[in-house]
Amino acid sequence: MYQGQCSPEQIRGWVANRFYYQINIPLKDAAILANCQDINVRREWVQRILDHDGHASLQEDYGGIEAWLKLAEAVGLDRQEVLDQKYVLPGVRFAVDAYVNFARRANWQQAACSSLTELFAPEIHQSRLDTWPQHYPWIAKDGLTYFQQRLSQARRDVNHGLQITLDYFDTAEKQQQALEILQFKLDILWSMLDAMTMAYELERPPFHTVSKHLEYHKGLQL
């Protein structure tokens, strides 16, 4: 992606599938809040939900989900089809759902620890801002707002999540558990990428034709 080797279809597939991750981040964070008894943590953590959902009273602050929809439109996707999750691959859906379920069932410190994959987010977002205009000039620059927003937001979130993790995981046994939690989160992210690689790069059945033939469930709630 950063070397300009993705086709427009691959970029669109990534954007459409990552949207499912984006809309579930506030649900994950709400689960952490629901399990957290510390009022000071809740006061700070709730900002993550507002960052993604936006502020209804501030028209100019439309939040990360809306910013991602603008990215989707900039790469040539239909806004309503993205909202309808028309192109979300089953493997992506299962991986993201597993992450939200983990946040609901784990204690809030463990769930907060899982967010620390964001340690790498500012660098990743900056790479997109640096390379996409050069390699993918067909993507409108105003569609990159999400990446710009997350540069500062991710750094703030990491500082908070890291402090929670250092305070709670204060023994060798707990620190090993923290590493296992982070590996679980990486497994989630890699599972998403594996599903997209199979569909959009390797074009392996049965989901490589999902943009044309929707042969899988897309919204069943169990």
Side-chain angles (χ1 to χ4, degrees):
M1 180 179 290
Y2 307 128
Q3 296 173 352
Q5 297 178 358
C6 287
S7 67
E9 181 183 10
Q10 290 169 340
I11 292 289
R12 293 180 188 120
W14 179 79
V15 171
N17 277 273
R18 281 283 301 203
F19 180 72
Y20 189 68
Y21 182 79
Q22 302 303 325
I23 61 174
N24 275 279
I25 289 175
L27 303 184
K28 176 267 297 182
D29 289 323
I32 292 174
L33 289 176
N35 291 331
C36 178
Q37 297 81 32
D38 189 320
I39 187 173
N40 293 318
V41 171
R42 294 201 304 268
R43 283 171 175 160
E44 192 165 351
W45 201 274
V46 73
Q47 184 60 46
R48 296 173 182 242
I49 296 177
L50 297 174
D51 286 343
H52 277 80
D53 287 347
H55 298 74
S57 60
L58 300 175
Q59 186 175 1
E60 70 278 7
D61 185 7
Y62 45 72
I65 291 175
E66 180 62 27
W68 198 271
L69 284 168
K70 291 185 179 300
L71 171 63
E73 292 175 316
V75 302
L77 289 164
D78 179 87
R79 178 187 180 92
Q80 191 57 52
E81 289 182 346
V82 175
L83 283 168
D84 291 341
Q85 304 168 25
K86 183 175 181 179
Y87 304 119
V88 178
L89 296 163
V92 170
R93 187 181 300 278
F94 295 156
V96 174
D97 289 351
Y99 183 36
V100 175
N101 287 331
F102 169 77
R104 289 171 176 160
R105 299 174 65 177
N107 68 44
W108 66 270
Q109 295 97 332
Q110 293 168 338
C113 173
S114 70
S115 71
L116 287 183
T117 51
E118 285 189 312
L119 279 165
F120 312 102
E123 181 180 348
I124 292 172
H125 293 318
Q126 189 62 59
S127 294
R128 292 166 184 158
L129 291 168
D130 292 341
T131 62
W132 280 32
Q134 174 185 356
H135 295 312
Y136 309 109
W138 52 273
I139 300 176
K141 289 185 178 180
D142 59 3
L144 306 181
T145 300
Y146 177 87
F147 306 137
Q148 295 168 337
Q149 289 177 340
R150 290 303 297 168
L151 287 175
S152 59
Q153 292 172 355
R155 292 188 181 97
R156 179 207 62 209
D157 292 348
V158 163
N159 289 335
H160 187 213
L162 183 59
Q163 190 59 58
I164 291 171
T165 300
L166 292 174
D167 289 343
Y168 178 76
F169 295 89
D170 57 357
T171 66
E173 182 179 3
K174 285 185 176 180
Q175 288 161 5
Q176 181 60 42
Q177 183 186 48
L179 293 175
E180 292 171 357
I181 289 170
L182 286 173
Q183 184 60 62
F184 165 76
K185 173 63 179 303
L186 291 172
D187 289 345
I188 294 292
L189 298 175
W190 276 116
S191 294
M192 294 171 60
L193 290 173
D194 285 347
M196 287 184 267
T197 297
M198 291 285 285
Y200 303 121
E201 183 177 357
L202 302 181
E203 298 186 349
R204 295 287 299 276
F207 302 119
H208 65 294
T209 57
V210 293
S211 61
K212 303 177 184 66
H213 308 290
L214 303 180
E215 298 176 347
Y216 58 96
H217 88 277
K218 54 185 177 62
L220 179 64
Q221 299 297 320
L222 299 177

